[in-house]
Amino acid sequence: MEIESFFHSLRQQLPTLDLNWKNVRRAYTGRPYHNLDHLNEMLQHLERHRNAGNAPTDEGIFGMALVYHDLVYKPTRSDNEQRSAQAAEELLLAGDIAPSRIAHCTALIMATKAHLPNPKDQDAALLIDLDLAVLARDADGYDRYSAAVRKEFWMVPGFVFRKGRVKALTQFLDREHIYRTDYGRAEYEQQARENLWREVRSLA
């Protein structure tokens, strides 16, 4: 399923929401990496997780978090996740969704900031693994991803970007596990670590 169809399917899960695909498409258009292709890639991996028995516990709220987690993205800002969560919150509030579900959607989106979800939140673990699945592409695919990230930070001088990028990648490598689900650790972990180490060496 493509992201547009997935977005429209949320109407079945959350029929009271005033969902507007054009607004979502406009927000994601023009970015080298954080674009609709990123969401489509996440959906592809979601199907793999589903086939392994790892489905979201709240399909509607999870779907909202997936679609809206990068709705606002400015490379040099640190509040992208907060502003994306606010956009989702406004829609959910207007649709009279239960406060507990709105809070869960906010928590899911905010978990994509540091990629360290509440260990008791299975949906957050799943969303994080989908967001980070790109790290486990084959070598050529990973190189395309890293090149796209650099394009998004075109305004940052090379030596500043390299320092920040190495720091970010090393933080992942220093973790006991990059991925939060058993499936993610079995299917993605080794390839992701190989890719991250290779990029770190290339930036050194």
Side-chain angles (χ1 to χ4, degrees), residues 50-87:
R50 288 187 192 280
N51 292 336
N54 191 19
T57 60
D58 187 333
E59 293 280 357
I61 292 301
F62 184 89
M64 281 291 293
L66 189 155
V67 172
Y68 279 82
H69 81 283
D70 282 331
L71 187 80
V72 178
Y73 184 78
K74 303 292 184 183
T76 58
R77 295 186 66 111
S78 61
D79 61 349
N80 291 314
E81 291 80 11
Q82 181 179 352
R83 295 168 71 200
S84 296
Q86 286 177 330

Side-chain angles (χ1 to χ4, degrees), residues 34-145:
H34 290 91
N35 53 32
L36 295 177
D37 289 339
H38 170 49
L39 299 186
N40 279 320
E41 185 171 16
M42 291 177 70
L43 286 183
Q44 292 172 5
H45 287 279
L46 176 58
E47 286 306 306
R48 297 177 187 178
H49 278 267
R50 288 187 192 280
N51 292 336
N54 191 19
T57 60
D58 187 333
E59 293 280 357
I61 292 301
F62 184 89
M64 281 291 293
L66 189 155
V67 172
Y68 279 82
H69 81 283
D70 282 331
L71 187 80
V72 178
Y73 184 78
K74 303 292 184 183
T76 58
R77 295 186 66 111
S78 61
D79 61 349
N80 291 314
E81 291 80 11
Q82 181 179 352
R83 295 168 71 200
S84 296
Q86 286 177 330
E89 286 174 9
E90 290 174 3
L91 274 174
L92 294 168
L93 282 168
D96 200 27
I97 303 301
S100 61
R101 297 180 78 195
I102 296 176
H104 190 205
C105 185
T106 298
L108 289 174
I109 293 174
M110 292 306 298
T112 65
K113 184 177 181 67
H115 296 98
L116 290 170
N118 182 333
K120 296 181 180 180
D121 191 338
Q122 296 179 1
D123 284 357
L126 175 57
L127 185 63
I128 294 308
D129 279 16
L130 300 182
D131 199 27
L132 296 180
V134 62
L135 304 182
R137 286 180 178 179
D138 62 27
D140 288 342
Y142 182 87
D143 289 347
R144 290 193 298 273
Y145 150 72

